[in-house]
């Protein structure tokens, strides 16, 4: 275990098993729909990669990078697009692949934006759901795990761009983030 990690919340094997189940579900639901999976960078990159390997249907993928405004401006719920999609989503069955839904502001904003582009359907698949922290209602169609209100890293999720390469989801030690410097 990484020395900055207090406890392992979800093991590599548990992630693997759950993603297998999600792959089966998504393959059934999107059979003959040629869905477009949109990976929200950077946190969801491993989740997308492992998830698509567990699907058995034709699909396409695209990537979107966004920055959520931390601190004061967070309450506006507006996101800044750092990298937009290369694909037109009009008439497509779109499935957003996200690492974690926390307050819900990011997903609310992203879905509002994507809806203006007229997809045939728009759903959300998140690896982690931090339910207690929700500030705005978000319809989550697929989730990997519901987790308690703890700051987690690993399997794509970072703290200051570190820890994305850990193969498990772990709770970060409090002493790693100085008081006030983290938006949780
Ligand atoms: P929301 O807009 O509050 O739902 O925040 C979603 C984003 O915040 C995620 O895409 C993550 O980038 C980040 N985030 C929220 N909670 C955590 C966490 O526990 N660890 C790492 N990143 C997190
Ligand atoms: Mg993110």
């Amino acid at each position: 275990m990484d020395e900055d990690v207090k406890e392992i919340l979800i093991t590599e094997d548990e992630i693997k098993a759950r993603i297998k189940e999600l792959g089966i579900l998504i393959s059934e639901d999107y059979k003959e729909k040629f869905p477009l999976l949109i990976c929200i960078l950077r946190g969801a990159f491993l989740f997308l990669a492992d998830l698509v390997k567990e699907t058995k249907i034709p699909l396409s993928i695209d990537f979107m990078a966004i920055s959520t405004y931390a601190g004061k401006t967070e309450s506006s719920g507006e996101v800044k697009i750092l990298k937009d999609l290369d694909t037109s989503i009009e008439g497509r069955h779109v499935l957003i692949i996200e690492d974690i839904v926390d307050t819900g502001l990011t997903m609310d904003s992203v879905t509002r934006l994507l809806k203006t582009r007229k997809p045939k359907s728009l759903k959300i698949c998140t690896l982690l759901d931090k339910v207690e922290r929700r500030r705005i209602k978000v319809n989550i169609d697929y989730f990997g795990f519901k987790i308690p209100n703890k700051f987690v890293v690993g399997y794509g999720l970072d703290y200051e761009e570190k820890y994305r390469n850990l193969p498990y989801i772990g709770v970060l030690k409090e002493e790693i983030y100085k008081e006030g410097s983290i938006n949780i």
Side-chain angles (χ1 to χ4, degrees):
M1 189 165 86
D2 191 280
E3 58 178 11
D4 294 350
V5 169
K6 190 161 85 177
E7 59 170 309
I8 295 179
L9 203 58
I10 308 166
T11 66
E12 196 174 353
D13 284 349
E14 287 168 337
I15 296 171
K16 219 171 251 173
R18 182 66 181 132
I19 289 179
K20 214 173 199 120
E21 292 176 352
L22 286 174
I24 292 168
L25 265 177
I26 289 167
S27 299
E28 282 168 4
D29 294 354
Y30 286 92
K31 209 172 161 184
E32 279 151 35
K33 288 187 171 166
F34 187 49
L36 170 66
L37 272 55
I38 297 180
C39 175
I40 307 297
L41 295 171
R42 289 186 279 270
F45 79 106
L46 283 179
F47 181 36
L48 174 89
D50 286 343
L51 181 64
V52 293
K53 286 190 282 181
E54 299 296 344
T55 57
K56 313 250 180 288
I57 52 164
L59 54 80
S60 62
I61 59 169
D62 202 346
F63 299 88
M64 194 171 195
I66 51 181
S67 79
T68 38
Y69 291 114
K72 282 178 196 159
T73 48
E74 191 204 34
S75 59
S76 72
E78 292 309 320
V79 297
K80 188 173 149 199
I81 298 180
L82 303 175
K83 183 223 169 286
D84 206 341
L85 301 170
D86 296 322
T87 318
S88 162
I89 66 168
E90 193 172 340
R92 297 289 305 269
H93 290 284
V94 172
L95 181 61
I96 300 171
I97 309 297
E98 173 65 309
D99 54 358
I100 183 167
V101 179
D102 185 28
T103 62
L105 292 169
T106 305
M107 274 306 98
D108 178 66
S109 183
V110 169
T111 50
R112 275 190 289 113
L113 168 75
L114 293 181
K115 273 178 191 161
T116 66
R117 301 182 185 178
K118 302 188 171 51
K120 196 158 193 174
S121 68
L122 183 62
K123 289 188 174 179
I124 298 175
C125 174
T126 184
L127 179 66
L128 305 175
D129 183 358
K130 223 191 253 182
V131 203
E132 284 170 51
R133 291 255 306 166
R134 205 59 40 81
R135 280 171 54 191
I136 190 160
K137 192 181 178 306
V138 174
N139 278 325
I140 295 175
D141 301 282
Y142 306 93
F143 69 92
F145 304 90
K146 291 195 193 294
I147 63 162
N149 185 12
K150 292 178 175 176
F151 194 80
V152 292
V153 293
Y155 196 74
L157 289 100
D158 75 306
Y159 171 61
E160 292 187 336
E161 293 305 321
K162 281 172 74 184
Y163 312 108
R164 293 195 197 274
N165 56 329
L166 300 177
Y168 51 81
I169 304 282
V171 178
L172 193 63
K173 284 182 180 165
E174 282 91 358
E175 58 261 39
I176 304 300
Y177 43 87
K178 289 166 257 91
E179 227 178 292
S181 71
I182 191 167
N183 174 38
I184 56 170

